[in-house]
Amino acid sequence: MGADQLPDDPQQPATRAITAGREHSGHALAPALWASSVWQSTGLADANRRATGTRSEEFYGRIANPTVSSFENAVAALEGAESSLAFASGMGAISTVVLALCSAGDHIVAQRQLYSATLAFLQGPCARFGIEVSYVDGTEPGSFAAAIRPGRTMLVIAETPSNPLLELIDLDELGALRGPIKLVDSTFATPLGQQPLAHGVDLSLHSATKGIAGHNDATLGVISGSRELLDSIWSYSVLHGATPSPFDALNALRGIRTLAVRTTQQTASALHIAETLSRHRGVAAVHYPGLHTHPQHDLAKRQMNHFGTVLTIDLAGGQPAAERVLANLRLVRVATSLGGPETIVCHARTTTHVSLTDAEAAGQGVGPGLLRISVGLEDCADLLADLTQALSPT
Ligand SMILES: *Cc1c(COP(=O)(O)O)cnc(C)c1O
């Protein structure tokens, strides 16, 4: 198992993305799709062993699946983790972790700027189940520590870079917190962009729907951490039932094979587009951790191996300007996701952040002219030509 060899594994991450997750496929170079949801046992004792084991292979699909295990092992190898656990979606991962670790009367400290469905889960179901959540500006040094209630705070939730303004959380500061479990949603960075566990964070989480699968053909989530913590989350997870589809795990494992080359090109294009649009008259602000003007650019250089495939621009002309740009784009498509081969743009205020009140949106910096751009794999010059013609139509 790739993950078990990690301490003296000399391979670079791009190589590990190729070598990891090859169990369960025999001598086939491509991963095998195990569609079966049930396996035969050899008799009573064997069935009993599998029924009472932890994450027993070849027993029942909700417990474990060989294709999913291969995907999990590949992610663990990239995250530098003892273990990974996959889910039916990123939200399946987040909701399972929260409900596995927190009970009525417990307390969570969460970053204010979070993926909108994560925020909705904390504000809705968590409140309903008596789990209290305090929100902090995670970019403010000491803010997480100050909000922790010793003995009551079970979980600290951070997201870096954050959606949609690409604010960063200092992973060293987060990892140094004592008491609660520290969870980082690392989706926007991909497992090659940063490794939260190396900074002392307990759980690194990805919506693998995004850059990991990378082709808009899988809906999947994954967490990574110590085997002990993951085994305990797994024992709740089999009851929660956000079980990943083996087919989606297969697509995501195939995505991992090309993750390094994809993110290399996408981040290079994202930086070039960010720099060029920073000089455009119609653009009031560009948010991208790779820009010198990003308030946390030094932190980005310290904790990130690349600056990510997503940038956000704020149009001087507000929503009418955003509407015009979306209508004028020819190559860039209007869609709400990130990390795929197609460059896509979404207007945050009317889609991902539509459920916020105006005051909440303003508090999060989600103005009417904000566009999130997920940079794909098209030629960068073609992308720039399309974006600039849409920003300044003739
Ligand atoms: C998409 C996303 C999620 C949710 O993942 P799903 O696979 O859509 O459930 C969580 N966090 C971040 C940062 C995301 O981009």
Side-chain angles (χ1 to χ4, degrees):
M1 302 281 242
D4 291 336
Q5 294 161 6
L6 270 181
D8 41 14
D9 182 356
Q11 292 180 351
Q12 293 300 308
T15 307
R16 268 189 226 150
I18 307 300
T19 58
R22 290 186 172 274
E23 341 37 38
H24 312 298
S25 302
H27 293 292
L29 275 186
L33 173 61
W34 289 86
S36 187
S37 58
V38 193
W39 282 261
Q40 278 178 230
S41 299
T42 55
L44 185 146
D46 182 43
N48 173 253
R49 186 176 58 80
R50 291 171 203 266
T52 52
T54 300
R55 302 180 73 173
S56 294
E57 298 280 357
E58 305 196 1
F59 179 59
Y60 186 69
R62 187 159 37 75
I63 307 298
N65 171 283
T67 307
V68 173
S69 299
S70 296
F71 165 72
E72 290 167 338
N73 289 338
V75 173
L78 295 180
E79 289 279 350
E82 280 179 2
S83 185
S84 293
L85 184 62
F87 300 86
S89 65
M91 283 315 299
I94 289 166
S95 57
T96 301
V97 167
V98 169
L99 296 180
L101 299 178
C102 301
S103 308
D106 287 344
H107 177 244
I108 294 173
V109 177
Q111 177 182 338
R112 190 162 295 136
Q113 183 155 108
L114 285 174
Y115 182 74
S116 48
T118 306
L119 201 57
F121 181 75
L122 296 177
Q123 291 174 336
C126 281
R128 193 151 57 80
F129 298 146
I131 301 166
E132 196 185 339
V133 185
S134 301
Y135 299 93
V136 300
D137 176 358
T139 64
E140 199 65 46
S143 61
F144 287 109
I148 289 175
R149 301 179 194 163
R152 267 198 71 202
T153 307
M154 293 297 139
L155 189 60
V156 175
I157 301 180
E159 180 179 307
T160 182
S162 68
N163 181 45
L165 286 187
L166 308 173
E167 294 177 347
L168 306 185
I169 301 303
D170 187 323
L171 291 172
D172 283 331
E173 189 191 316
L174 193 70
L177 297 176
R178 289 292 162 260
I181 301 284
K182 290 94 62 180
L183 166 73
V184 166
D185 184 336
S186 193
T187 300
F188 274 54
T190 81
L192 296 179
Q194 71 193 9
Q195 296 192 302
L197 303 180
H199 299 264
V201 167
D202 302 294
L203 288 172
S204 174
L205 181 147
H206 290 271
S207 166
T209 311
K210 314 294 168 51
I212 291 181
H215 294 74
N216 298 317
D217 57 5
T219 303
L220 204 65
V222 63
I223 59 171
S224 305
S226 74
R227 191 174 307 280
E228 189 186 356
L229 180 56
L230 279 257
D231 283 355
S232 86
I233 292 171
W234 169 84
S235 63
Y236 170 74
S237 168
V238 293
L239 307 180
H240 194 92
T243 311
S245 134
F247 181 66
D248 285 10
L250 177 88
N251 279 345
L253 184 50
R254 188 176 64 166
I256 285 176
R257 301 293 182 232
T258 57
L259 184 60
V261 68
R262 284 188 287 113
T263 52
T264 298
Q265 175 168 334
Q266 285 167 300
T267 55
S269 295
L271 179 61
H272 188 50
I273 291 168
E275 284 170 344
T276 308
L277 295 188
S278 303
R279 298 188 293 269
H280 197 284
R281 251 177 324 98
V283 179
V286 178
H287 306 275
Y288 185 66
L291 287 179
H292 296 285
T293 51
H294 190 287
Q296 297 165 299
H297 181 59
D298 288 338
L299 176 61
K301 283 192 292 190
R302 251 192 346 265
Q303 69 184 26
M304 301 184 79
N305 308 315
H306 67 62
F307 300 121
T309 63
V310 178
L311 65 131
T312 303
I313 64 175
D314 209 344
L315 300 180
Q319 187 158 330
E323 209 165 336
R324 214 164 39 242
V325 168
L326 264 52
N328 286 327
L329 287 166
R330 294 171 196 153
L331 174 62
V332 176
R333 293 152 209 268
V334 180
T336 307
S337 190
L338 56 120
E342 302 87 2
T343 297
I344 58 175
V345 58
C346 88
H347 181 245
R349 188 66 188 95
T350 53
T351 57
T352 56
H353 290 70
V354 69
S355 61
L356 302 190
T357 64
D358 281 343
E360 285 170 340
Q364 297 234 359
V366 180
L370 204 69
L371 296 179
R372 188 183 76 192
I373 304 173
S374 168
V375 178
L377 289 166
E378 303 90 341
D379 185 275
C380 188
D382 288 339
L383 289 174
L384 265 176
D386 190 38
L387 287 163
T388 45
Q389 70 76 24
L391 281 161
S392 340
T394 47

